[in-house]
Amino acid sequence: MWVSNAFKLNPLARAVTFISLAPLLLMAEQAVAGPIDGIVENIDQNTRPDSYSLTNAATLIANGATTREITARGGSKVNLNAGTTVNATGSAIGLQLINSDAQINNSTITSNSTGLSLGFTASGTGSNATVNNSVISGAAVGASVGAKSTLTLVNSKLRGTGSNGVGLRMFDGTASATGSTIAGTVNGIELREDAGQAGGTTLNLDSTRVQGTNGSAILVNGGNAAISATNGTSLVAGNGALLDIRNSGSANLSLSDANTHLVGDVLVESGSTANVKLDNSATLTGRLENVQGLTVNNAARWVMVGDGNVENLALNGGGVQFGNPGEFFKLSVGELSGTGGTFYMHNNFSTGQIDTLTVTGTATGNHLVALDSSGSEPVAAEARPVIHIGGGDATFALQGGAVSLGAYDYDLIKQGDNDWFLNTATRSISPGTQSVMALANAGPTVMLGELSTLRSRMGEVRMDQGKAGGWIRTYGNKHDVSASSGLAYKQTQQGVSFGADTTLGAEQWLFGFTGGYSESDLDMGRGTSGEVESYHIGAYTTKLYESGYYVDAVIKFNHFQNSSDVRLSDGKKTKGDYDNNGVGVSLEGGRHIKLDKDWFVELNAQVVGLSIEGADYDLDNGLAAEGDRVHSLLAKAGTTVGRNFTVGKGYEVQPYLRAAYVHEFATNSDVKVNNNVFNTNLSGSRGELGAGFAMKTTDSTSIHVDLEYSNGEKIEQPYGVNIGMRYIW
């Protein structure tokens, strides 16, 4: 009434009165809105910024609005949508829920203290908030979750922005975050105890990043906490501690899928406890300091970054990796249990640096040890146990069998009741040594496959006796070398040879030149192989006498490109290659005897001498090979029986069968691997059977096909195939 009477004054008085009331009117416009008590209030972008207090199951619905702080009590509900912004004034909490619920979508909350607070009263049921695609910031705490309360984050950000800011602080409540970011200037998340409530804190992180810029990713400061991290969640800590447990706190940390790989330490203060579980190919790389229990299941792995100590270790198909190659750590375990676990250990037995596992108490279960292969010799392998246990029925075996160390493979054996050592007494040749020996041994069989006999090289030259020409042939063969030679392996060769010749002198000698290429693949098994590429040139002379006698001489020079591809015991690959040269001489003679009805018998003998230079080279794992010069002196005596037919336009066809006795006189070929001497020896006898035919196809061309099989004590040739063509001019 007094305001209306004032406006009855004269204009000057009215103006003075309006000016005097303006501050009061402005204060009234800025005053906190009265409580929203038990009703539904809708606000939007046209509503002036204000503070709101909800009681008695009231509802506030904001769409694109801008507000100041909001408080909801007594079962009230707050819905923030469509770009709503909450800017708290002073030290007020941005959105405070007390026994109330909130749905926050595509909105922003900012506060100089706490951005979002979920609380309860002694008789209340707690608060719940679901946050989607939103950003919540508080200088002290991004969000605070009390007992009985639940916070759900989806594709959202929580930020503690002050000098001591924390992204999320919990007091025995429950929080889950999916696709979100939680960051604090000090700690990313702090979990504390509400002494008046039971039940502890539950935190579930799914594809979420938690960062403590200057502190821990997660700090458990008293109370009990259950923490799970899945689907690529990352925990980043300025102090290196992804989980820090203090003040008699207790925490169970679970990583449970193949996309989760955490790097950082789990630090447990004296008087506090922690249990860590890794499952389904998850990995944790870091220190576990004073951790009570570690369980590693289903191809999950703990990667150590220093010496470790775990009170109880359970491995069920999971593994413990002792750092990276070149790092050597000690792991001490109080009790070991489970089955099917793997310890990934590193070693340098030549210097005595090895990873070691010590179980001070009881060890049970069957476990594997994966040791690094090496090109160095284990000088002191038997001097120091790889594993020591206090007691129990645990067994340990090398993963994949014996480990490749230098020239040999070594197995893991138990000595006494409680220690496991590398077995240096009964060792086998390593894959690297096998490749060195096989390549040294392959040269003679490669050259013999290229040389062969006159008939298999040029066909039946008597069909065009005394006529010059050119020829080409392609061939393939396989050799199975037995362990009695010093090393078992399989060799498969494919190649092509060609030549051209002319007649010289009254005696009609054929003189010619030859060249060609072959590729031989060596298979030593267990993923180890070799390859020999051979390039050769040579000269030959052949003389056929009317009496049926003949002589044939060949000299050839070879250049070899040798390579080995070795799969070691730990699945790693090592390679080596080298070039060398060889020379070979073949002298063959015999007599072709014509029988009735176009049958014939041919007696022949051949002597072959080969010399291949040795080579020194290293595999890229450090294995050193030294090869001596390789020699071969082979003699062959055989008989060929066949018949000539005339077909078509008077052309000849000559099928035949042959048999031969072969003897290798060269008895040794030594190679050194890391100064260990190994011998390959293909000496001995074998029988050879063959069949084929030669056929004139035109006046100037003929073709020939030759098949053979041979077998002896040290080497078998399951097949040899030769197909050629000769052209005369």
Side-chain angles (χ1 to χ4, degrees):
M1 180 62 68
W2 63 270
V3 174
S4 61
N5 289 335
F7 279 87
K8 295 179 181 179
L9 302 176
N10 61 51
L12 178 61
R14 287 199 302 270
V16 171
T17 303
F18 180 81
I19 293 172
S20 65
L21 290 177
L24 296 176
L25 294 173
L26 182 61
M27 290 179 58
E29 185 171 88
Q30 292 179 343
V32 175
I36 301 174
D37 189 2
I39 62 172
V40 176
E41 181 77 14
N42 287 277
I43 60 176
D44 57 24
Q45 66 272 18
N46 297 316
T47 306
R48 69 179 184 181
D50 217 333
S51 303
Y52 294 92
S53 178
L54 284 68
T55 58
N56 295 324
T59 298
L60 174 65
I61 301 174
N63 290 293
T66 298
T67 78
R68 301 187 184 106
E69 58 272 10
I70 301 172
T71 302
R73 296 179 174 83
S76 296
K77 298 182 184 300
V78 176
N79 292 336
L80 307 180
N81 307 297
T84 292
T85 299
V86 177
N87 292 313
T89 58
S91 60
I93 297 171
L95 172 59
Q96 183 176 20
L97 304 175
I98 303 173
N99 300 323
S100 297
D101 297 338
Q103 182 75 38
I104 304 168
N105 301 311
N106 301 296
S107 297
T108 301
I109 300 175
T110 304
S111 168
N112 291 323
S113 59
T114 299
L116 171 65
S117 174
L118 281 67
F120 70 102
T121 58
S123 59
T125 58
S127 299
N128 301 283
T130 299
V131 182
N132 293 290
N133 300 299
S134 298
V135 178
I136 300 176
S137 301
V141 182
S144 176
V145 180
K148 302 182 183 181
S149 299
T150 300
L151 171 64
T152 302
L153 297 175
V154 180
N155 299 322
S156 295
K157 296 180 180 180
L158 287 184
R159 300 187 299 205
T161 58
S163 58
N164 295 306
V166 176
L168 171 63
R169 181 173 288 152
M170 301 181 66
F171 299 85
D172 291 339
T174 298
S176 64
T178 302
S180 297
T181 299
I182 303 172
T185 309
V186 181
N187 300 314
I189 299 176
E190 289 184 6
L191 308 180
R192 300 185 178 186
E193 180 182 23
D194 186 335
Q197 300 295 322
T201 300
T202 300
L203 174 64
N204 299 311
L205 303 171
D206 182 342
S207 57
T208 290
R209 177 183 174 87
V210 177
Q211 181 173 0
T213 303
N214 298 305
S216 304
I218 301 176
L219 171 65
V220 178
N221 194 7
N224 302 316
I227 305 165
S228 71
T230 60
N231 200 27
T233 287
S234 61
L235 305 180
V236 181
N239 64 4
L242 59 86
L243 178 59
D244 189 357
I245 306 172
R246 306 176 186 175
N247 195 23
S248 300
S250 174
N252 294 324
L253 173 64
S254 174
L255 316 182
S256 59
D257 67 272
N259 295 319
T260 303
H261 307 284
L262 298 186
V263 178
D265 303 329
V266 177
L267 307 179
V268 185
E269 186 181 65
S270 179
S272 299
T273 60
N275 292 283
V276 178
K277 181 179 180 181
L278 311 178
D279 209 343
N280 296 320
S281 300
T283 64
L284 171 61
T285 301
R287 289 188 300 133
L288 301 184
E289 184 178 292
N290 200 27
V291 169
Q292 183 178 28
L294 171 65
T295 301
V296 190
N297 300 333
N298 301 317
R301 190 178 298 191
W302 171 40
V303 181
M304 299 168 57
V305 297
D307 292 344
N309 192 316
V310 176
E311 187 172 339
N312 294 284
L313 174 61
L315 298 180
N316 295 288
V320 175
Q321 178 178 323
F322 288 65
N324 295 310
E327 299 175 332
F328 305 101
F329 300 137
K330 299 177 180 66
L331 174 60
S332 179
V333 176
E335 304 286 334
L336 173 64
S337 62
T339 189
T342 302
F343 294 93
Y344 299 89
M345 307 176 80
H346 310 295
N347 60 81
N348 187 339
F349 286 100
S350 61
T351 62
Q353 294 174 288
I354 60 173
D355 292 328
T356 56
L357 168 65
T358 300
V359 182
T360 57
T362 301
T364 60
N366 303 319
H367 304 286
L368 296 174
V369 177
L371 285 179
D372 285 339
S373 62
S374 170
S376 302
E377 297 300 302
V379 177
E382 72 284 353
R384 192 172 172 189
V386 177
I387 297 169
H388 171 80
I389 65 173
D393 59 0
T395 63
F396 299 90
L398 289 177
Q399 184 184 56
V403 61
S404 302
L405 300 173
Y408 294 96
D409 283 357
Y410 300 85
D411 212 340
L412 191 68
I413 60 170
K414 186 177 183 180
Q415 293 185 3
D417 294 330
N418 302 318
D419 295 307
W420 278 261
F421 293 81
L422 282 188
N423 182 7
T424 57
T426 58
R427 56 191 183 180
S428 58
I429 297 174
S430 70
T433 301
Q434 290 177 351
S435 72
V436 171
M437 294 174 64
L439 286 176
N441 215 30
T445 49
V446 170
M447 294 186 72
L448 289 171
E450 295 169 348
L451 272 171
S452 195
T453 63
L454 173 64
R455 180 179 291 275
S456 62
R457 189 178 80 245
M458 296 174 61
E460 179 46 75
V461 294
R462 290 176 184 81
M463 290 181 176
D464 301 301
Q465 187 167 345
K467 295 181 180 180
W471 54 269
I472 187 169
R473 72 184 184 106
T474 182
Y475 54 91
N477 56 66
K478 181 178 181 181
H479 292 90
D480 291 341
V481 180
S482 71
S484 62
S485 70
L487 173 69
Y489 65 93
K490 299 181 185 298
Q491 175 180 328
T492 304
Q493 182 183 25
Q494 301 177 72
V496 60
S497 294
F498 51 86
D501 47 60
T502 186
T503 57
L504 293 176
E507 297 295 328
Q508 295 293 297
W509 283 87
L510 282 176
F511 288 92
F513 294 94
T514 179
Y517 168 83
S518 73
E519 180 180 302
S520 298
D521 296 320
L522 310 179
D523 182 5
M524 282 70 76
R526 294 171 59 187
T528 295
S529 61
E531 183 179 81
V532 180
E533 293 185 82
S534 172
Y535 302 85
H536 70 269
I537 58 172
Y540 63 90
T541 181
T542 304
K543 173 61 178 174
L544 305 177
Y545 295 91
E546 291 183 1
S547 60
Y549 288 101
Y550 76 94
V551 292
D552 180 69
V554 181
I555 183 170
K556 63 192 290 285
F557 300 90
N558 280 67
H559 176 71
F560 301 105
Q561 295 177 344
N562 309 273
S563 62
S564 59
D565 188 358
V566 181
R567 181 175 293 277
L568 301 169
S569 56
D570 56 2
K572 296 177 183 176
K573 285 277 194 175
T574 185
K575 296 181 179 181
D577 59 77
Y578 65 97
D579 292 2
N580 62 342
N581 301 302
V583 60
V585 177
S586 170
L587 181 61
E588 180 183 346
R591 185 181 182 189
H592 185 87
I593 303 171
K594 293 182 179 181
L595 303 175
D596 292 340
K597 298 181 179 180
D598 292 327
W599 285 90
F600 69 88
V601 173
E602 186 174 285
L603 306 177
N604 68 287
Q606 183 183 20
V607 177
V608 179
L610 307 173
S611 180
I612 302 171
E613 67 180 356
D616 297 346
Y617 64 101
D618 294 339
L619 300 185
D620 55 17
N621 71 336
L623 191 78
E626 302 174 49
D628 289 347
R629 182 172 289 274
V630 178
H631 300 283
S632 173
L633 180 59
L634 184 138
K636 180 186 294 189
T639 300
T640 301
V641 177
R643 187 180 181 187
N644 294 312
F645 295 90
T646 302
V647 296
K649 298 179 181 180
Y651 296 133
E652 284 185 276
V653 177
Q654 185 189 92
Y656 58 85
L657 298 173
R658 61 183 178 85
Y661 173 81
V662 184
H663 187 81
E664 173 63 72
F665 291 93
T667 58
N668 69 317
S669 173
D670 291 341
V671 293
K672 287 184 179 180
V673 179
N674 291 352
N675 292 319
N676 298 283
V677 179
F678 299 89
N679 177 263
T680 58
N681 185 351
L682 293 178
S683 66
S685 301
R686 59 184 183 267
E688 186 175 283
L689 298 174
F693 70 89
M695 183 175 68
K696 237 353 217 185
T697 56
T698 70
D699 290 339
S700 57
T701 59
S702 62
I703 62 171
H704 61 276
V705 175
D706 189 76
L707 308 174
E708 69 177 17
Y709 166 82
S710 68
N711 196 4
E713 178 186 354
K714 296 179 180 177
I715 185 169
E716 178 187 10
Q717 183 181 4
Y719 68 84
V721 179
N722 178 83
I723 301 172
M725 182 183 73
R726 179 172 171 78
Y727 178 83
I728 62 171
W729 46 68

